[in-house]
Amino acid sequence: MADRRYRTVRRALAVMCLIAVGAVPAGSSAAATTQSAALRVLQMNLCNSGRAGCYTGRSVTAAAEVISAEAPDVVSLNEICRGDVAALERAFGNVHPGNPVVSAFQAAGDRPSGAVTRCRNGEPYGIGLLTRLKAVTTPYTVRSGIYPTQDVADPEERAWLCIHVPGAVHACTTHLAATSGTIALAQCRHLLDTVVPAIRGNNGYAPTVLSGDLNLRHDHHPVVQSCVPPDYLRIDDGALQHVMATTDVTICCRRSIGMRGATDHPGLLATLTSTRRRPG
């Protein structure tokens, strides 16, 4: 598991508007005001390994166009090459002028070699996250790993990736097993029941948002809802992509975004809202 902690960063979360306002301390007699904030989360599976039949070579360009048009606050990326993160981070930064942005990447494992899965161009292949920040010194942590449960018939070992800002937000993405619903379900449960609580236990609670291609559906066995903790909400694109969030966040709406045939999945854009109280 990678654990890269950035202790002295002249940047902090702007993002996730979830964060913007702190709660009144217990027992406080101060007057309080209520403030609502919105967070736009964009999930995309870009099929950009160069090895799959859905590869077109156009998906990163299409994704940059969607980011430019929609200006999301968080972007989760599946089936990408490591270099794609840098290209999309530039597009992401352009729609948030004046706000620093942060990116992270985690390669999928490759069982036959014991190393990482690679794209046709030789770059590591896996998943990524983008978030925007504000210029305040705040630590954040990037954590990632390979699931302990894998389909041994599939050479690709599936991974998870999270960016945690203590007391602010915990954003994660994953691309679960495509060859077995039972294994995908076990991976989903491991992430939500074991990984996320462990990170929050070590780094402090933060509202959690998970978006990704889970290769599970709400209407097929095994149903995705069976891995959703009781304190989470969930929406999907009608197929395999999902956004989940802890219930201190409300998922108010969703929209599928056509990718013009550049990849085999639409984009999924979800708007989350949070109401926080602060001293008046």
Side-chain angles (χ1 to χ4, degrees), residues 55-69:
Y55 174 75
T56 67
R58 297 184 288 108
S59 63
V60 173
T61 298
E65 292 171 354
V66 171
I67 290 171
S68 297

Side-chain angles (χ1 to χ4, degrees), residues 24-30:
V24 177
S28 171
S29 60

Side-chain angles (χ1 to χ4, degrees), residues 5-9 11-13 136-141 164-166:
R5 185 178 302 274
Y6 301 79
R7 292 185 174 86
T8 312
V9 189
R11 317 177 271 186
L13 193 64
V136 177
T137 301
T138 298
Y140 66 89
T141 302
H164 182 89
V165 180

Side-chain angles (χ1 to χ4, degrees), residues 22 24 28-34 277-280:
V24 177
S28 171
S29 60
T33 59
T34 301
R277 290 167 57 83
R278 66 179 180 182

Side-chain angles (χ1 to χ4, degrees), residues 269-280:
L269 182 67
T271 300
L272 284 57
T273 60
S274 175
T275 300
R276 292 296 187 92
R277 290 167 57 83
R278 66 179 180 182

Side-chain angles (χ1 to χ4, degrees), residues 123-233:
E123 292 183 354
Y125 162 89
I127 55 179
L129 276 172
L130 305 171
T131 69
R132 70 182 178 97
L133 307 173
K134 65 181 179 181
V136 177
T137 301
T138 298
Y140 66 89
T141 302
V142 177
R143 298 216 181 193
S144 59
I146 303 295
Y147 289 105
T149 301
Q150 301 283 342
D151 183 355
V152 296
D154 182 0
E156 180 186 339
E157 295 181 320
R158 304 294 171 136
W160 55 268
L161 172 65
C162 298
I163 298 176
H164 182 89
V165 180
V169 72
H170 185 77
C172 297
T173 190
T174 191
H175 183 207
L176 302 182
T179 51
S180 167
T182 300
I183 291 172
L185 191 64
Q187 293 170 345
C188 181
R189 286 173 172 163
H190 179 77
L191 178 58
L192 291 169
D193 295 344
T194 301
V195 171
V196 169
I199 296 173
R200 293 193 313 210
N202 290 331
N203 296 279
Y205 177 80
T208 298
V209 178
L210 165 65
S211 51
D213 181 347
L214 305 188
N215 280 308
L216 293 166
R217 300 179 63 107
H218 74 281
D219 55 356
H220 290 181
H221 181 77
V223 294
V224 65
Q225 197 63 32
S226 62
C227 81
V228 181
D231 58 338
Y232 278 68
L233 303 172

Side-chain angles (χ1 to χ4, degrees), residues 26-114:
S28 171
S29 60
T33 59
T34 301
Q35 178 169 333
S36 295
L39 171 70
R40 287 159 59 83
V41 179
L42 175 64
Q43 155 63 22
M44 293 184 289
N45 182 323
L46 299 185
C47 189
N48 203 44
S49 71
R51 299 180 181 276
C54 53
Y55 174 75
T56 67
R58 297 184 288 108
S59 63
V60 173
T61 298
E65 292 171 354
V66 171
I67 290 171
S68 297
E70 301 295 343
D73 301 297
V74 178
V75 180
S76 54
L77 303 163
N78 300 158
E79 294 195 40
I80 57 167
C81 307
R82 184 171 59 191
D84 300 337
V85 177
L88 294 175
E89 184 178 10
R90 289 191 292 273
F92 187 65
N94 287 340
V95 298
H96 297 296
N99 289 120
V101 299
V102 62
S103 66
F105 173 81
Q106 169 63 33
D110 178 65
R111 182 175 296 102
S113 69

